[in-house]
Amino acid sequence: GVLALAFSRELTPVITAIVMAGRVGSAIAAELGTMQVSEQTDQLRMLNTDPVDYLIAPRVVACMLSLPILTIVSFTVGMASSVLLADMVYGIMPNIILESASKALVPWDLIGMTIKSVVFGFLVSIISCGWGSTTTGGAKGVGESTTAAVVISLVSIFVADFVMSLIMFQGTGDALTRL
């Protein structure tokens, strides 16, 4: 039960968002930064195309949709590997762990996990797009913007997680008493 609660409320959304910030956020910032310093975004404006609609909006939507899916997959894999580990190493029957998880988890835990993932996807994409699209200074500026985007994304993930956990799970700390 404790494992399922920790996975659903904190570990899975945060760790998946951290991986996304490091991998996808840095790629977004570097790509948009390179486009900015090589004046490709200026060329889009000359073609009467809004760079926000063409470059930023699709990335934000993609991150907000893909992170919850990745989080659900990560939660499933984490629970399955925990069940397998408990059975193979410690001899604990899988039905005991799954029954404990089903008693401890309520639908709100999984809904909260998904809400957190959407917010984290929004934060990572907006911060990465913002840093990438305001890059100046050539290759050095692209590297600095990419690093700043990842660092600020990580900090924002932790701050947002704290605030959302405080709001969403206030008063639900007694979930283990249902076991």
Side-chain angles (χ1 to χ4, degrees):
V2 175
L3 179 73
L5 285 174
F7 271 179
S8 67
R9 291 184 181 182
E10 297 298 328
L11 290 176
T12 304
V14 171
I15 291 175
T16 308
I18 288 171
V19 171
M20 184 176 221
R23 182 79 176 110
V24 177
S26 64
I28 289 173
E31 182 180 24
L32 292 178
T34 302
M35 293 177 78
Q36 181 68 24
V37 298
S38 64
E39 299 176 353
Q40 292 178 32
T41 53
D42 294 336
Q43 293 171 358
L44 284 173
R45 285 186 191 92
M46 290 300 295
L47 294 171
N48 203 20
T49 302
D50 186 14
V52 172
D53 291 341
Y54 191 74
L55 298 173
I56 295 174
R59 287 168 173 81
V60 172
V61 171
C63 286
M64 289 177 66
L65 291 176
S66 63
L67 191 57
I69 294 168
L70 290 171
T71 301
I72 291 168
V73 169
S74 178
F75 176 74
T76 305
V77 169
M79 286 301 296
S81 62
S82 298
V83 167
L84 185 65
L85 178 73
D87 185 32
M88 300 294 278
V89 176
Y90 299 109
I92 300 172
M93 297 299 295
N95 60 343
I96 293 173
I97 295 173
L98 295 175
E99 184 178 320
S100 174
S102 67
K103 284 182 182 177
L105 287 176
V106 294
W108 179 248
D109 292 326
L110 301 177
I111 293 168
M113 177 179 75
T114 307
I115 291 170
K116 281 184 174 188
S117 298
V118 171
V119 171
F120 294 158
F122 175 76
L123 289 172
V124 168
S125 61
I126 285 293
I127 291 168
S128 299
C129 287
W131 277 95
S133 63
T134 57
T135 300
T136 58
K140 181 182 180 211
V142 171
E144 291 171 352
S145 291
T146 302
T147 302
V150 172
V151 169
I152 292 174
S153 292
L154 294 176
V155 170
S156 70
I157 287 167
F158 291 127
V159 170
D161 179 57
F162 173 76
V163 171
M164 286 189 292
S165 291
L166 192 65
I167 292 168
M168 284 196 265
F169 303 120
Q170 187 73 19
T172 59
D174 58 351
L176 295 177
T177 59
R178 291 191 300 264
L179 303 175

